[in-house]
Amino acid sequence: AQKITQTQPGMFVQEKEAVTLDCTYDTSDQSYGLFWYKQPSSGEMIFLIYQGSYDEQNATEGRYSLNFQKARKSANLVISASQLGDSAMYFCAMRADSGYSTLTFGKGTMLLVSP
Amino acid sequence: DAGVTQSPTHLIKTRGQQVTLRCSPISGHKSVSWYQQVLGQGPQFIFQYYEKEERGRGNFPDRFSARQFPNYSSELNVNALLLGDSALYLCASSLVPDHYNEQFFGPGTRLTVL
């Protein structure tokens, strides 16, 4: 079974600053993928970034980067140069390549960006 | 190209009723998954379908059922609704159900059970 832990219920950041959202995971699988999604108040889950368990380099997508530390089983999301539109819920999720591959989500972190 | 679409957007039902939610995947995607998101929680996996076959089921009672049609669209049915079934129901599609393929989510259906 997989488990995702997000320990920060809420985070505050000022516009243009960087912010790190924490995520730790637990799995016995060797092959898996880690995802971050953004969920604005409208409800739709927006894919941000993906990291494969065998990827040697940290994933980056524009202002998003994933700080992947496999030995510590952590996959923190770093958002650089925060914008007001980044205010939303952020979910860390994982998908293991065993049995059927579905997403296991954490409880999420609410990010608020202030001017 | 159209993304994942879901209908209806909102739904209000009373306890004991039955509901059917619909999902159309992205064109070319053959796998559809359903998730339930209760307020304040992350989404929880309900079902996964691939090529019209059920590939996986989460820890949900038999009141929940689903199917996938030849055009890869899907329906989620919930019978004998309970107050606790009030949630956002999300549908996600992917090309195939492996962990290399990103899941794309639809806007969800907000179900309220009174």
Side-chain angles (χ1 to χ4, degrees):
Chain A
Q2 293 83 42
K3 185 178 180 181
I4 296 284
T5 302
Q6 293 180 256
T7 57
Q8 305 157 313
M11 289 286 285
F12 294 89
V13 66
Q14 278 202 311
E15 202 176 4
K16 300 179 185 177
E17 291 185 347
V19 63
T20 298
L21 306 183
D22 294 340
C23 172
T24 57
Y25 62 91
D26 191 21
T27 182
S28 56
D29 290 271
Q30 297 302 309
S31 179
Y32 51 88
L34 295 158
F35 301 77
W36 277 92
Y37 286 87
K38 172 184 178 181
Q39 187 178 45
S41 56
S42 61
E44 185 169 357
M45 301 289 279
I46 301 168
F47 167 75
L48 296 177
I49 196 166
Y50 164 82
Q51 178 86 40
S53 58
Y54 292 114
D55 294 341
E56 295 186 350
Q57 290 195 335
N58 288 342
T60 60
E61 290 284 349
R63 295 186 298 111
Y64 305 107
S65 61
L66 199 152
N67 184 2
F68 181 47
Q69 297 187 43
K70 194 170 182 177
R72 299 178 62 182
K73 293 190 173 180
S74 75
N76 298 339
L77 176 70
V78 180
I79 305 175
S80 63
S82 297
Q83 301 173 354
L84 295 179
D86 293 335
S87 294
M89 281 292 288
Y90 288 79
F91 290 95
C92 179
M94 76 174 298
R95 191 177 185 183
D97 197 20
S98 63
Y100 49 88
S101 299
T102 61
L103 288 168
T104 299
F105 286 85
K107 291 188 175 182
T109 296
M110 172 63 80
L111 176 66
L112 291 177
V113 182
S114 60
Chain B
D1 285 343
V4 178
T5 58
Q6 291 185 245
S7 63
T9 308
H10 295 83
L11 205 51
I12 299 174
K13 292 285 188 178
T14 57
R15 281 177 295 176
Q17 285 189 311
Q18 175 264 341
V19 68
T20 298
L21 311 181
R22 296 176 176 83
C23 171
S24 292
I26 291 171
S27 178
H29 285 194
K30 298 181 179 179
S31 180
V32 169
S33 297
W34 287 95
Y35 294 83
Q36 180 197 62
Q37 187 179 16
V38 174
L39 192 65
Q41 300 292 320
Q44 272 200 297
F45 168 69
I46 311 175
F47 285 109
Q48 185 185 73
Y49 277 78
Y50 175 57
E51 291 280 19
K52 303 177 286 284
E53 298 288 328
E54 180 184 304
R55 288 200 76 218
R57 182 188 183 112
N59 189 23
F60 281 81
D62 291 343
R63 298 185 297 108
F64 289 77
S65 63
R67 55 180 175 169
Q68 187 177 33
F69 299 98
N71 67 353
Y72 302 110
S73 67
S74 178
E75 285 184 351
L76 174 70
N77 296 285
V78 187
N79 294 323
L81 285 167
L82 304 174
L83 296 179
D85 295 331
S86 295
L88 178 68
Y89 288 85
L90 294 162
C91 172
S93 78
S94 61
L95 283 167
V96 292
D98 65 52
H99 85 286
Y100 296 103
N101 278 274
E102 176 194 338
Q103 285 193 342
F104 294 83
F105 282 82
T109 294
R110 290 191 184 274
L111 172 65
T112 302
V113 182
L114 302 176

Short mmCIF file of all heavy atoms in Angstrom, two decimals, chain B residues 5-14 16-24 34 47 63-69 73-81 85 89 91 108-113:
data_model
loop_
_atom_site.label_atom_id
_atom_site.label_comp_id
_atom_site.label_asym_id
_atom_site.label_seq_id
_atom_site.Cartn_x
_atom_site.Cartn_y
_atom_site.Cartn_z
N THR B 5 -14.35 15.63 -19.84
CA THR B 5 -15.60 16.31 -19.51
C THR B 5 -16.44 15.43 -18.59
O THR B 5 -16.41 14.19 -18.69
CB THR B 5 -16.41 16.65 -20.78
OG1 THR B 5 -16.69 15.44 -21.50
CG2 THR B 5 -15.63 17.60 -21.68
N GLN B 6 -17.17 16.09 -17.69
CA GLN B 6 -18.03 15.38 -16.75
C GLN B 6 -19.39 16.06 -16.70
O GLN B 6 -19.49 17.28 -16.85
CB GLN B 6 -17.41 15.40 -15.34
CG GLN B 6 -16.15 14.57 -15.22
CD GLN B 6 -15.65 14.50 -13.78
OE1 GLN B 6 -14.57 14.99 -13.47
NE2 GLN B 6 -16.44 13.88 -12.92
N SER B 7 -20.41 15.25 -16.50
CA SER B 7 -21.75 15.80 -16.34
C SER B 7 -22.53 14.99 -15.32
O SER B 7 -22.28 13.78 -15.16
CB SER B 7 -22.47 15.80 -17.70
OG SER B 7 -22.64 14.47 -18.18
N PRO B 8 -23.44 15.62 -14.60
CA PRO B 8 -23.65 17.06 -14.55
C PRO B 8 -22.57 17.75 -13.73
O PRO B 8 -21.72 17.09 -13.14
CB PRO B 8 -25.01 17.17 -13.87
CG PRO B 8 -25.04 15.99 -12.96
CD PRO B 8 -24.32 14.89 -13.68
N THR B 9 -22.60 19.07 -13.68
CA THR B 9 -21.63 19.83 -12.89
C THR B 9 -21.99 19.77 -11.41
O THR B 9 -21.10 19.60 -10.56
CB THR B 9 -21.61 21.29 -13.35
OG1 THR B 9 -21.43 21.34 -14.75
CG2 THR B 9 -20.50 22.05 -12.67
N HIS B 10 -23.24 19.94 -11.14
CA HIS B 10 -23.76 19.89 -9.77
C HIS B 10 -24.99 19.01 -9.74
O HIS B 10 -25.73 18.92 -10.73
CB HIS B 10 -24.13 21.29 -9.25
CG HIS B 10 -22.98 22.23 -9.12
ND1 HIS B 10 -22.49 22.96 -10.18
CD2 HIS B 10 -22.23 22.57 -8.05
CE1 HIS B 10 -21.47 23.71 -9.76
NE2 HIS B 10 -21.30 23.48 -8.47
N LEU B 11 -25.22 18.43 -8.57
CA LEU B 11 -26.35 17.52 -8.41
C LEU B 11 -26.79 17.53 -6.95
O LEU B 11 -25.94 17.46 -6.06
CB LEU B 11 -25.91 16.12 -8.81
CG LEU B 11 -26.91 15.09 -9.30
CD1 LEU B 11 -27.78 15.64 -10.41
CD2 LEU B 11 -26.16 13.87 -9.79
N ILE B 12 -28.08 17.63 -6.74
CA ILE B 12 -28.62 17.53 -5.38
C ILE B 12 -29.60 16.37 -5.34
O ILE B 12 -30.53 16.29 -6.15
CB ILE B 12 -29.32 18.84 -4.95
CG1 ILE B 12 -28.33 20.00 -4.97
CG2 ILE B 12 -29.94 18.68 -3.56
CD1 ILE B 12 -28.96 21.35 -4.69
N LYS B 13 -29.37 15.47 -4.40
CA LYS B 13 -30.22 14.29 -4.24
C LYS B 13 -30.61 14.16 -2.77
O LYS B 13 -30.02 14.81 -1.90
CB LYS B 13 -29.47 13.03 -4.69
CG LYS B 13 -29.19 12.95 -6.19
CD LYS B 13 -30.44 12.61 -6.95
CE LYS B 13 -30.15 12.34 -8.41
NZ LYS B 13 -31.39 11.96 -9.15
N THR B 14 -31.58 13.31 -2.49
CA THR B 14 -31.95 13.02 -1.11
C THR B 14 -31.52 11.60 -0.75
O THR B 14 -31.28 10.76 -1.64
CB THR B 14 -33.46 13.18 -0.89
OG1 THR B 14 -34.14 12.32 -1.81
CG2 THR B 14 -33.89 14.62 -1.12
N GLY B 16 -31.21 7.84 0.06
CA GLY B 16 -31.93 6.71 -0.49
C GLY B 16 -32.06 6.72 -2.01
O GLY B 16 -32.34 5.68 -2.61
N GLN B 17 -31.85 7.88 -2.63
CA GLN B 17 -31.96 7.95 -4.08
C GLN B 17 -30.73 7.35 -4.75
O GLN B 17 -29.74 6.99 -4.11
CB GLN B 17 -32.14 9.41 -4.53
CG GLN B 17 -33.53 9.96 -4.29
CD GLN B 17 -33.72 11.32 -4.93
OE1 GLN B 17 -32.89 12.23 -4.78
NE2 GLN B 17 -34.83 11.48 -5.65
N GLN B 18 -30.82 7.25 -6.07
CA GLN B 18 -29.72 6.73 -6.87
C GLN B 18 -29.22 7.85 -7.80
O GLN B 18 -29.99 8.73 -8.19
CB GLN B 18 -30.22 5.54 -7.71
CG GLN B 18 -29.22 4.96 -8.68
CD GLN B 18 -29.37 5.51 -10.09
OE1 GLN B 18 -30.41 6.06 -10.43
NE2 GLN B 18 -28.33 5.42 -10.88
N VAL B 19 -27.93 7.81 -8.14
CA VAL B 19 -27.37 8.86 -9.00
C VAL B 19 -26.42 8.22 -10.03
O VAL B 19 -25.78 7.20 -9.75
CB VAL B 19 -26.62 9.91 -8.15
CG1 VAL B 19 -25.36 9.33 -7.52
CG2 VAL B 19 -26.29 11.14 -8.97
N THR B 20 -26.38 8.83 -11.20
CA THR B 20 -25.45 8.41 -12.26
C THR B 20 -24.63 9.60 -12.70
O THR B 20 -25.19 10.64 -13.07
CB THR B 20 -26.20 7.82 -13.47
OG1 THR B 20 -26.92 6.66 -13.07
CG2 THR B 20 -25.22 7.44 -14.57
N LEU B 21 -23.33 9.45 -12.64
CA LEU B 21 -22.41 10.50 -13.06
C LEU B 21 -21.71 10.03 -14.33
O LEU B 21 -21.40 8.84 -14.48
CB LEU B 21 -21.37 10.78 -11.97
CG LEU B 21 -21.92 10.99 -10.55
CD1 LEU B 21 -20.77 11.27 -9.59
CD2 LEU B 21 -22.93 12.10 -10.52
N ARG B 22 -21.43 10.97 -15.24
CA ARG B 22 -20.87 10.62 -16.54
C ARG B 22 -19.53 11.30 -16.79
O ARG B 22 -19.30 12.41 -16.32
CB ARG B 22 -21.86 10.97 -17.65
CG ARG B 22 -23.15 10.14 -17.55
CD ARG B 22 -24.20 10.53 -18.58
NE ARG B 22 -25.36 9.64 -18.48
CZ ARG B 22 -26.35 9.79 -17.62
NH1 ARG B 22 -26.34 10.81 -16.77
NH2 ARG B 22 -27.36 8.94 -17.60
N CYS B 23 -18.71 10.60 -17.55
CA CYS B 23 -17.36 11.09 -17.83
C CYS B 23 -16.98 10.73 -19.26
O CYS B 23 -17.17 9.58 -19.70
CB CYS B 23 -16.36 10.46 -16.86
SG CYS B 23 -14.62 10.76 -17.25
N SER B 24 -16.45 11.70 -19.99
CA SER B 24 -15.88 11.44 -21.32
C SER B 24 -14.40 11.72 -21.28
O SER B 24 -13.99 12.85 -20.97
CB SER B 24 -16.55 12.33 -22.38
OG SER B 24 -17.90 11.95 -22.55
N TRP B 34 -12.09 6.85 -11.40
CA TRP B 34 -13.01 7.68 -10.62
C TRP B 34 -12.44 7.88 -9.23
O TRP B 34 -11.91 6.94 -8.61
CB TRP B 34 -14.38 7.01 -10.53
CG TRP B 34 -15.18 7.04 -11.79
CD1 TRP B 34 -15.25 6.07 -12.74
CD2 TRP B 34 -16.04 8.09 -12.23
NE1 TRP B 34 -16.11 6.46 -13.75
CE2 TRP B 34 -16.61 7.70 -13.46
CE3 TRP B 34 -16.40 9.35 -11.70
CZ2 TRP B 34 -17.52 8.50 -14.16
CZ3 TRP B 34 -17.30 10.13 -12.41
CH2 TRP B 34 -17.84 9.71 -13.63
N PHE B 47 -12.69 3.57 -8.64
CA PHE B 47 -12.61 2.56 -9.69
C PHE B 47 -11.60 2.97 -10.74
O PHE B 47 -11.35 4.15 -10.95
CB PHE B 47 -13.95 2.44 -10.45
CG PHE B 47 -15.04 1.72 -9.73
CD1 PHE B 47 -16.13 2.43 -9.25
CD2 PHE B 47 -15.00 0.35 -9.54
CE1 PHE B 47 -17.16 1.78 -8.59
CE2 PHE B 47 -16.02 -0.31 -8.88
CZ PHE B 47 -17.10 0.41 -8.41
N ARG B 63 -22.59 -0.34 -3.05
CA ARG B 63 -23.54 0.66 -3.58
C ARG B 63 -22.92 1.44 -4.74
O ARG B 63 -23.63 2.06 -5.52
CB ARG B 63 -23.93 1.64 -2.47
CG ARG B 63 -24.62 1.03 -1.29
CD ARG B 63 -25.06 2.10 -0.30
NE ARG B 63 -23.95 2.85 0.27
CZ ARG B 63 -23.65 4.11 -0.02
NH1 ARG B 63 -24.38 4.78 -0.91
NH2 ARG B 63 -22.63 4.71 0.56
N PHE B 64 -21.61 1.42 -4.81
CA PHE B 64 -20.89 2.11 -5.89
C PHE B 64 -20.60 1.10 -7.01
O PHE B 64 -20.09 0.00 -6.75
CB PHE B 64 -19.57 2.68 -5.38
CG PHE B 64 -19.73 3.86 -4.47
CD1 PHE B 64 -20.12 3.71 -3.15
CD2 PHE B 64 -19.47 5.15 -4.93
CE1 PHE B 64 -20.27 4.80 -2.31
CE2 PHE B 64 -19.60 6.25 -4.10
CZ PHE B 64 -20.00 6.08 -2.79
N SER B 65 -20.93 1.48 -8.22
CA SER B 65 -20.63 0.64 -9.38
C SER B 65 -20.28 1.55 -10.55
O SER B 65 -20.60 2.75 -10.53
CB SER B 65 -21.80 -0.26 -9.74
OG SER B 65 -22.93 0.52 -10.12
N ALA B 66 -19.65 0.99 -11.54
CA ALA B 66 -19.26 1.79 -12.70
C ALA B 66 -19.18 0.90 -13.93
O ALA B 66 -19.21 -0.34 -13.82
CB ALA B 66 -17.92 2.49 -12.46
N ARG B 67 -19.09 1.53 -15.07
CA ARG B 67 -18.86 0.78 -16.30
C ARG B 67 -18.21 1.70 -17.31
O ARG B 67 -18.28 2.94 -17.20
CB ARG B 67 -20.16 0.21 -16.86
CG ARG B 67 -21.27 1.22 -17.09
CD ARG B 67 -22.50 0.54 -17.64
NE ARG B 67 -23.62 1.47 -17.76
CZ ARG B 67 -24.75 1.19 -18.41
NH1 ARG B 67 -24.90 0.00 -18.99
NH2 ARG B 67 -25.73 2.07 -18.47
N GLN B 68 -17.58 1.09 -18.31
CA GLN B 68 -16.96 1.84 -19.39
C GLN B 68 -17.54 1.34 -20.70
O GLN B 68 -17.70 0.14 -20.92
CB GLN B 68 -15.43 1.67 -19.39
CG GLN B 68 -14.72 2.57 -20.38
CD GLN B 68 -13.20 2.45 -20.32
OE1 GLN B 68 -12.67 1.38 -20.03
NE2 GLN B 68 -12.51 3.53 -20.59
N PHE B 69 -17.84 2.27 -21.56
CA PHE B 69 -18.50 1.96 -22.82
C PHE B 69 -17.49 1.77 -23.96
O PHE B 69 -16.32 2.13 -23.80
CB PHE B 69 -19.50 3.06 -23.17
CG PHE B 69 -20.58 3.20 -22.13
CD1 PHE B 69 -20.50 4.17 -21.15
CD2 PHE B 69 -21.68 2.35 -22.14
CE1 PHE B 69 -21.49 4.29 -20.18
CE2 PHE B 69 -22.67 2.47 -21.19
CZ PHE B 69 -22.58 3.44 -20.20
N SER B 73 -16.07 6.22 -22.80
CA SER B 73 -16.71 7.04 -21.78
C SER B 73 -17.12 6.13 -20.62
O SER B 73 -17.13 4.89 -20.75
CB SER B 73 -17.92 7.78 -22.35
OG SER B 73 -18.94 6.85 -22.71
N SER B 74 -17.45 6.74 -19.51
CA SER B 74 -17.72 5.94 -18.32
C SER B 74 -18.85 6.53 -17.51
O SER B 74 -19.12 7.75 -17.57
CB SER B 74 -16.46 5.86 -17.46
OG SER B 74 -16.67 5.13 -16.27
N GLU B 75 -19.52 5.69 -16.76
CA GLU B 75 -20.55 6.10 -15.82
C GLU B 75 -20.23 5.56 -14.44
O GLU B 75 -19.77 4.42 -14.32
CB GLU B 75 -21.93 5.58 -16.24
CG GLU B 75 -22.56 6.29 -17.41
CD GLU B 75 -23.96 5.76 -17.70
OE1 GLU B 75 -24.37 4.74 -17.10
OE2 GLU B 75 -24.63 6.38 -18.54
N LEU B 76 -20.49 6.39 -13.43
CA LEU B 76 -20.38 5.96 -12.04
C LEU B 76 -21.79 6.01 -11.45
O LEU B 76 -22.47 7.02 -11.56
CB LEU B 76 -19.45 6.89 -11.25
CG LEU B 76 -19.36 6.63 -9.75
CD1 LEU B 76 -18.63 5.32 -9.47
CD2 LEU B 76 -18.64 7.79 -9.05
N ASN B 77 -22.22 4.91 -10.87
CA ASN B 77 -23.54 4.83 -10.25
C ASN B 77 -23.39 4.66 -8.74
O ASN B 77 -22.54 3.88 -8.28
CB ASN B 77 -24.33 3.65 -10.81
CG ASN B 77 -24.62 3.81 -12.28
OD1 ASN B 77 -25.48 4.58 -12.67
ND2 ASN B 77 -23.87 3.11 -13.12
N VAL B 78 -24.23 5.37 -8.02
CA VAL B 78 -24.26 5.21 -6.57
C VAL B 78 -25.71 4.99 -6.17
O VAL B 78 -26.58 5.83 -6.47
CB VAL B 78 -23.68 6.42 -5.82
CG1 VAL B 78 -23.58 6.13 -4.33
CG2 VAL B 78 -22.33 6.81 -6.37
N ASN B 79 -25.98 3.87 -5.53
CA ASN B 79 -27.34 3.54 -5.07
C ASN B 79 -27.50 3.86 -3.59
O ASN B 79 -26.52 3.98 -2.85
CB ASN B 79 -27.61 2.05 -5.29
CG ASN B 79 -27.66 1.68 -6.74
OD1 ASN B 79 -28.15 2.44 -7.57
ND2 ASN B 79 -27.11 0.52 -7.07
N ALA B 80 -28.76 3.97 -3.18
CA ALA B 80 -29.09 4.15 -1.76
C ALA B 80 -28.21 5.22 -1.12
O ALA B 80 -27.49 4.96 -0.15
CB ALA B 80 -28.95 2.81 -1.03
N LEU B 81 -28.26 6.42 -1.66
CA LEU B 81 -27.37 7.50 -1.25
C LEU B 81 -27.46 7.78 0.25
O LEU B 81 -28.54 7.77 0.86
CB LEU B 81 -27.70 8.77 -2.02
CG LEU B 81 -27.23 8.81 -3.47
CD1 LEU B 81 -27.88 9.97 -4.22
CD2 LEU B 81 -25.71 8.91 -3.55
N ASP B 85 -22.11 10.48 1.25
CA ASP B 85 -21.71 10.41 -0.17
C ASP B 85 -21.57 11.79 -0.78
O ASP B 85 -21.12 11.92 -1.93
CB ASP B 85 -22.75 9.60 -0.96
CG ASP B 85 -22.82 8.15 -0.54
OD1 ASP B 85 -21.79 7.61 -0.07
OD2 ASP B 85 -23.91 7.55 -0.66
N TYR B 89 -16.91 14.40 -7.14
CA TYR B 89 -16.53 13.16 -7.82
C TYR B 89 -15.73 13.53 -9.06
O TYR B 89 -16.21 14.21 -9.96
CB TYR B 89 -17.76 12.32 -8.16
CG TYR B 89 -18.36 11.72 -6.92
CD1 TYR B 89 -19.25 12.44 -6.15
CD2 TYR B 89 -17.99 10.44 -6.50
CE1 TYR B 89 -19.78 11.90 -4.98
CE2 TYR B 89 -18.52 9.90 -5.34
CZ TYR B 89 -19.40 10.63 -4.58
OH TYR B 89 -19.91 10.10 -3.43
N CYS B 91 -13.29 12.48 -12.32
CA CYS B 91 -12.95 11.47 -13.31
C CYS B 91 -11.60 11.85 -13.90
O CYS B 91 -11.31 13.03 -14.12
CB CYS B 91 -14.02 11.44 -14.39
SG CYS B 91 -13.62 10.40 -15.81
N GLY B 108 -15.05 17.70 -12.46
CA GLY B 108 -15.74 17.09 -11.33
C GLY B 108 -17.24 17.33 -11.32
O GLY B 108 -17.75 18.24 -12.00
N THR B 109 -17.93 16.50 -10.58
CA THR B 109 -19.36 16.66 -10.30
C THR B 109 -19.52 16.81 -8.81
O THR B 109 -19.08 15.94 -8.05
CB THR B 109 -20.17 15.44 -10.78
OG1 THR B 109 -20.11 15.34 -12.20
CG2 THR B 109 -21.63 15.56 -10.33
N ARG B 110 -20.13 17.92 -8.40
CA ARG B 110 -20.38 18.14 -6.97
C ARG B 110 -21.74 17.54 -6.61
O ARG B 110 -22.77 18.02 -7.07
CB ARG B 110 -20.36 19.62 -6.63
CG ARG B 110 -18.98 20.22 -6.72
CD ARG B 110 -18.91 21.62 -6.12
NE ARG B 110 -17.60 22.22 -6.30
CZ ARG B 110 -16.57 22.05 -5.49
NH1 ARG B 110 -16.70 21.28 -4.42
NH2 ARG B 110 -15.41 22.64 -5.72
N LEU B 111 -21.71 16.50 -5.80
CA LEU B 111 -22.93 15.83 -5.37
C LEU B 111 -23.25 16.24 -3.94
O LEU B 111 -22.40 16.12 -3.05
CB LEU B 111 -22.76 14.31 -5.45
CG LEU B 111 -23.90 13.47 -4.86
CD1 LEU B 111 -25.20 13.68 -5.63
CD2 LEU B 111 -23.53 12.00 -4.83
N THR B 112 -24.45 16.71 -3.73
CA THR B 112 -24.94 17.03 -2.39
C THR B 112 -26.10 16.11 -2.08
O THR B 112 -27.07 16.03 -2.85
CB THR B 112 -25.40 18.49 -2.29
OG1 THR B 112 -24.30 19.36 -2.63
CG2 THR B 112 -25.88 18.81 -0.89
N VAL B 113 -26.01 15.41 -0.96
CA VAL B 113 -27.09 14.51 -0.53
C VAL B 113 -27.75 15.12 0.71
O VAL B 113 -27.08 15.38 1.71
CB VAL B 113 -26.55 13.10 -0.21
CG1 VAL B 113 -27.71 12.18 0.19
CG2 VAL B 113 -25.81 12.53 -1.42
#
